Amino acid sequence: MKNKLKELEQKIGYTFRDFSLLERAMMHSSFTNEKNLPKYKCNERLEFLGDAVLELVSSEFLFRESPKMPEGELTKTRASMVCEPSLALCARDIGLGGYLLLGKGEEATGGRLRDSVTSDAMEALIGAVYLDGGFTSAKEFIHKFVLTDLEDKKLFYDSKTILQEMVQAKKAGIITYRLVKEEGPDHNKSFYVEVLIGDRVSGKGVGRTKKAAEQQAAYEAILSLRKQK
């Protein structure tokens, strides 16, 4: 496992002085339960810390980037930037799920790909970088891996709303989401969805939940509509 985590260090461009912090950041509660380790050994305490650091850094970023944005709008924007789907998207970019220490049950039910698990691990990793290298290192990490491609991320996790607005503005027809098929056992299902504008298929998506598949399909439809402009 150590070699695998060394690979993660290279990927994020940060070398830990205290390597055990990185190990703990990747240790899911299902793993500590299975190994009969104390509860505090899992990554939840680091996640708690990372969440606070992320909130501060993203608040400062928005404050500086959007000097005229009112407080209510700042709060709403920050919430969408650091919400679970957004952090899971950031985690996916660095393949974080592949480095997690999971219990056998969590592994079997697709925990490595679950948004709630990977977004928590992302926050735990921020907490670990903060403890190991201080605020500046944590801030650099967040700017590099969370506060990038914000437009694209917003487009992804707000895709159903954005598609609705685009289609209404064009008066292009009614949007419907159609479940095409489900695959896999109950605990590890994949849902395949098409989005139709009027009677034309405009995007396809696959996800662990119907909602995630619909989101992916809407995202594909938006990209396709933009190309047509």
Side-chain angles (χ1 to χ4, degrees):
M1 189 64 195
K2 194 163 184 178
N3 286 347
K4 196 126 171 70
L5 291 181
K6 286 281 176 201
E7 184 188 294
L8 177 59
E9 280 188 327
Q10 284 184 330
K11 212 177 254 192
I12 64 173
Y14 180 82
T15 307
F16 280 81
R17 283 188 282 265
D18 179 358
F19 195 71
S20 69
L21 283 167
L22 177 58
E23 290 173 324
R24 186 171 290 192
M26 293 300 104
M27 205 176 284
H28 189 255
S29 56
S30 62
F31 181 84
T32 53
N33 290 344
E34 201 174 273
K35 300 286 179 191
N36 294 317
L37 294 166
K39 173 78 172 154
Y40 65 81
K41 290 270 190 188
C42 78
N43 66 4
E44 288 172 4
R45 281 168 53 84
L46 281 173
E47 177 205 328
F48 161 80
L49 183 61
D51 176 56
V53 177
L54 177 60
E55 187 150 308
L56 176 58
V57 173
S58 53
S59 301
E60 185 199 22
F61 173 81
L62 279 174
F63 188 85
R64 293 186 188 282
E65 288 289 306
S66 312
K68 292 180 179 170
M69 192 184 276
E71 181 269 339
E73 195 63 29
L74 286 167
T75 303
K76 201 172 140 196
T77 308
R78 181 184 63 200
S80 71
M81 277 161 59
V82 299
C83 68
E84 186 182 288
S86 173
L87 286 177
L89 210 60
C90 302
R92 213 169 302 150
D93 285 345
I94 55 173
L96 199 58
Y99 300 99
L100 290 171
L101 290 162
L102 299 176
K104 288 192 180 74
E106 190 65 40
E107 180 81 71
T109 56
R112 284 188 194 285
L113 298 169
R114 194 171 294 125
D115 281 7
S116 57
V117 174
T118 57
S119 64
D120 288 352
M122 194 72 183
E123 287 182 332
L125 183 54
I126 291 166
V129 172
Y130 171 76
L131 282 180
D132 191 73
F135 185 70
T136 306
S137 297
K139 186 174 172 177
E140 277 174 17
F141 176 85
I142 291 165
H143 275 265
K144 192 171 171 185
F145 295 105
V146 181
L147 303 177
T148 50
D149 299 331
L150 283 178
E151 276 311 303
D152 202 43
K153 283 182 185 134
K154 183 168 173 23
L155 183 64
F156 185 80
Y157 49 75
D158 283 347
S159 53
K160 287 179 77 173
T161 312
I162 292 166
L163 181 63
Q164 188 73 42
E165 286 166 359
M166 284 172 82
V167 170
Q168 277 174 348
K170 287 182 161 188
K171 298 187 171 58
I174 291 168
I175 297 173
T176 43
Y177 292 91
R178 182 167 69 195
L179 182 64
V180 181
K181 63 173 176 175
E182 298 174 24
E183 268 182 3
D186 279 351
H187 62 72
N188 196 15
K189 263 199 184 342
S190 290
F191 295 88
Y192 293 79
V193 165
E194 289 176 341
V195 60
L196 292 87
I197 299 172
D199 55 5
R200 208 176 94 248
V201 175
S202 295
K204 296 179 180 184
V206 60
R208 299 268 154 193
T209 62
K210 276 187 210 163
K211 191 179 170 193
E214 286 174 0
Q215 191 170 296
Q216 179 72 49
Y219 182 66
E220 297 288 326
I222 291 165
L223 298 182
S224 156
L225 285 172
R226 283 185 166 181
K227 274 184 194 155
Q228 289 167 28
K229 274 188 178 177

